[in-house]
Amino acid sequence: MKNNRYTYLGLILLLGFGVVVFSSCERDFSEDVEFATFPVNPDIFTDAPVGLTDEFFQSFDPATGANTEGFGTDDNVAFEGSSSIRIDVPAPDDPDGSFIGGIFLDRGEGRNLTGFDALTFYAKGSTTATIGEVGFGTDFEEDEFAVIAQNISLSTDWRKVIIPIPDPSKLIQERGMFFFSAGSQSTNGFGYTFWIDELRFEKLGTIAQPSPAIFSGQDLSSPAVNGIEFTITGLTQTFNLATGLNQTVFAAPGYFDFTSSDNSVAIVDESGGILVIGAGSTSITAQLANVGASGSLEITSNGVLPKAPLPMELAANVSSIFSNEYTNAVESIFNPPFGGSTTGFQLFPNDDDEVLVYTNNNFTGVVFTNTLDGTDRTTLNIDVYPLDESTAVEVQIRDVGPNQVLETNVFTGLPDGDDADRRFLVDGLTPGQWTSVEIPLDGDLAAQKNNLGALILAGGPNFIFDNIYFFTE
């Protein structure tokens, strides 16, 4: 028998970064200041919720597809005691929502968890399956010390799950007691049930060999100009458990101490936001609980970005795609979500202008939201600023073919099978200098300019574009 449904609608968890705000704040504390202390209570759910809000399950937003009907408690199934948490994972076509997930919040102002080293619980499933994400530290507000473990395997018997705390000393006042998100991807779209019991924080004393990482442990490099922003991603902490398993969790930036080797070139804030402020080179690294993290970012800045050349064509002779000097003829998507693309993109302000910054580009595009009639245009102009010496960008001009489909795959031929006249290699550029490149609209493309749909950009990998427009000479 399933009973005691608890549901409260919260906000959707956003696993990413938004606008980076750089600020500083200094506080003077007297040595005699006595800081507030918070309850030390490790239990979250035993036979009932412990110290949680009345409706202790707060769901993700149903507008995003979250199912609010599959959560409750079960008095017939328990690892220990008389009751457990029961979660019914929906099928993708469930009218109440295609996945289930949410958080448990502490009833008060938070708990002191500094004396524990792991979140633990027992779980079993109605079938073998995988829970997409579980963790703690998420409160639908700041999520300052959120931790997420992915792909937790379920068996049909009870198994203990251990989620290590990256740095317990940070958890002086934590409200986010538990977080989970589950769908039916691991069961080929079939709904299933899983149970959780004896959910608590513990001091196991067997969490060992910490191995933190940023950028997923990779040593990366990127050219830049002043004002460009980067975000530190791939933040993880790995521990060896008593079982011999190496458990990796994704950790919020708040657990890390970030460092720039030269603050006159770039500064990094506590949320992992990097701002380039001067010419030169710097290395971005990190520590977690005084252990050096693998991975780094080497930034080399050219300094201030000069303005692109001022276009001289009459507006009547221009069909603009991107330029502050003309009214754009169509709206465009400047970094479309192409599968397999590694491209970083920023719409970058440069004094009273804006430019398009592309880094680590393998392929991307400028996709027009409506087709452009370029029948009367003879030339495509692009102002290019190479960020490094390796820049050689291939520009492919694409139209909507006879089948009314815009082919955006950079590796395939065009709809009519003849794309030699639509691929242009932009090379021979001078690093750190603007060059105006003019591409003629002739050959096979000349007869098919009435329904232009995109510019596909391959290679580079690091460059800046401005003043993209078709014009008549």
Side-chain angles (χ1 to χ4, degrees), residues 194-209:
F194 69 94
W195 293 264
I196 290 175
D197 200 4
E198 302 306 307
L199 176 62
R200 58 170 55 91
F201 291 94
E202 289 192 72
K203 177 67 173 181
L204 298 176
T206 55
I207 307 295
Q209 301 176 19

Side-chain angles (χ1 to χ4, degrees), residues 82-107:
S82 60
S83 184
S84 67
I85 297 167
R86 172 172 170 159
I87 299 166
D88 294 326
V89 180
D93 59 355
D94 191 310
D96 291 322
S98 60
F99 78 99
I100 187 167
I103 63 174
F104 301 171
L105 284 181
D106 177 67
R107 175 184 294 275

Side-chain angles (χ1 to χ4, degrees), residues 122-464:
Y122 287 85
K124 78 168 187 173
S126 59
T127 185
T128 55
T130 300
I131 308 173
E133 295 181 332
V134 300
F136 60 90
T138 298
D139 57 14
F140 288 152
E141 293 180 6
E142 296 181 356
D143 301 344
E144 185 177 6
F145 298 114
V147 171
I148 293 174
Q150 295 184 329
N151 301 321
I152 303 301
S153 296
L154 291 172
S155 174
T156 54
D157 59 354
W158 290 101
R159 302 280 178 89
K160 188 172 186 176
V161 178
I162 299 172
I163 311 299
I165 301 175
D167 181 1
S169 69
K170 301 285 188 179
L171 303 185
I172 298 172
Q173 182 186 5
E174 181 58 59
R175 290 201 71 217
M177 296 292 98
F178 187 60
F179 150 80
F180 75 93
S181 178
S184 58
Q185 294 88 342
S186 66
T187 55
N188 296 316
F190 290 97
Y192 64 95
T193 297
F194 69 94
W195 293 264
I196 290 175
D197 200 4
E198 302 306 307
L199 176 62
R200 58 170 55 91
F201 291 94
E202 289 192 72
K203 177 67 173 181
L204 298 176
T206 55
I207 307 295
Q209 301 176 19
S211 181
I214 62 174
F215 299 112
S216 301
Q218 301 177 83
D219 292 315
L220 306 176
S221 63
S222 181
V225 292
N226 291 359
I228 284 184
E229 298 176 1
F230 299 89
T231 298
I232 299 177
T233 58
L235 304 172
T236 62
Q237 172 69 297
T238 301
F239 286 102
N240 182 260
L241 306 184
T243 59
L245 172 72
N246 287 328
Q247 177 65 61
T248 296
V249 298
F250 291 91
Y255 286 103
F256 290 81
D257 295 314
F258 302 111
T259 302
S260 171
S261 64
D262 190 339
N263 285 325
S264 70
V265 176
I267 55 176
V268 55
D269 70 8
E270 62 186 13
S271 67
I274 304 166
L275 177 65
V276 180
I277 59 174
S281 296
T282 188
S283 181
I284 306 300
T285 56
Q287 290 188 338
L288 197 164
N290 297 319
V291 177
S294 61
S296 64
L297 175 62
E298 185 78 18
I299 298 173
T300 302
S301 172
N302 293 336
V304 176
L305 176 66
K307 295 287 291 289
L310 184 68
M312 302 305 292
E313 285 72 35
L314 295 175
N317 297 332
V318 171
S319 297
S320 177
I321 305 302
F322 178 82
S323 177
N324 281 50
E325 299 302 319
Y326 304 108
T327 300
N328 291 334
V330 293
E331 297 296 320
S332 300
I333 302 169
F334 295 106
N335 188 31
F338 291 170
S341 175
T342 62
T343 304
F345 169 77
Q346 291 184 47
L347 179 63
F348 180 66
N350 189 32
D351 289 337
D352 58 349
D353 194 14
E354 287 182 316
V355 297
L356 307 175
V357 179
Y358 293 97
T359 55
N360 196 33
N361 179 56
N362 57 348
F363 56 89
T364 188
V366 177
V367 178
F368 313 154
T369 55
N370 294 294
T371 56
L372 173 69
D373 185 355
T375 303
D376 297 331
R377 304 307 179 208
T378 61
T379 310
L380 169 65
N381 180 89
I382 303 177
D383 291 342
V384 186
Y385 181 96
L387 283 166
D388 54 31
E389 296 180 356
S390 63
T391 298
V393 187
E394 182 179 83
V395 178
Q396 303 176 15
I397 302 176
R398 297 288 176 90
D399 69 315
V400 176
N403 59 357
Q404 298 301 302
V405 173
L406 175 64
E407 176 58 66
T408 59
N409 190 330
V410 69
F411 301 111
T412 64
L414 300 182
D416 60 6
D418 183 6
D419 56 7
D421 295 323
R422 309 190 204 180
R423 294 175 181 264
F424 304 90
L425 186 64
V426 178
D427 59 3
L429 303 170
T430 302
Q433 179 177 307
W434 285 103
T435 300
S436 294
V437 177
E438 294 186 352
I439 299 172
L441 306 182
D442 55 15
D444 172 68
L445 184 62
Q448 300 184 41
K449 296 185 294 183
N450 64 316
N451 55 359
L452 300 175
L455 304 176
I456 303 300
L457 312 177
N462 305 295
F463 53 90
I464 300 175

